[in-house]
Amino acid sequence: MAVDPKAAGALLFFAFLALFAFLLFRALAPRAPPPVLSPSEFRPFPLAAKSHPSANTVLLTFALPPPHANLPLGLPVGRHISVRATVAGKEVRRPYTPVSAVDVCGKFELLVKVYPEPYGAMSRYLGALEV
């Protein structure tokens, strides 16, 4: 069976055109930003607000940086955030579970009980943060 060279050329042309259109669409399609939280690296979040619900607790509101400012944190219910700080020359890490709703966009809140010295190195550090 003989193949018409014009038909084969037209078929090849349209196949390349379809491939080009697919690649162009894929390159121009909006991409979701990378996740705001990373399991392998610590990332800074600016403190946006601070309040004292009781004498020994502090409610800290942290802002999500661009391009996540209009997105939720993306942390499932019951999961925690590892907080790291240098306190008295030593690195301290503690887990805290956000108290903000999972669908709140652009921020997350941590409720921290501030313990008196000599306990609670991280809680005292977080309690002393200024906006």
Side-chain angles (χ1 to χ4, degrees), residues 6-131:
K6 287 184 178 181
L11 182 62
L12 191 59
F13 171 76
F14 284 113
F16 279 119
L17 185 63
L19 178 63
F20 176 75
F22 170 76
L23 293 175
L24 181 65
F25 174 76
R26 190 170 162 197
L28 297 178
R31 295 185 182 156
V36 67
L37 296 176
S38 169
S40 60
E41 69 177 303
F42 284 90
R43 297 183 177 165
F45 296 97
L47 181 62
K50 177 181 175 181
S51 64
H52 296 273
S54 69
N56 64 347
T57 60
V58 62
L59 180 64
L60 304 169
T61 303
F62 293 93
L64 300 183
H68 304 282
N70 295 323
L71 299 174
L73 180 62
L75 191 68
V77 172
R79 295 296 191 132
H80 69 270
I81 294 174
S82 291
V83 178
R84 178 180 69 177
T86 302
V87 180
K90 294 182 181 179
E91 182 179 280
V92 180
R93 296 179 186 200
R94 296 288 184 271
Y96 289 95
T97 302
V99 294
S100 47
V102 295
D103 58 350
V104 171
C105 295
K107 66 180 181 176
F108 66 94
E109 296 175 322
L110 300 179
L111 183 63
V112 179
K113 181 176 180 179
V114 181
Y115 291 94
E117 208 168 333
Y119 308 105
M122 178 63 82
S123 71
R124 283 184 282 112
Y125 172 83
L126 292 173
L129 288 177
E130 296 294 328
V131 180

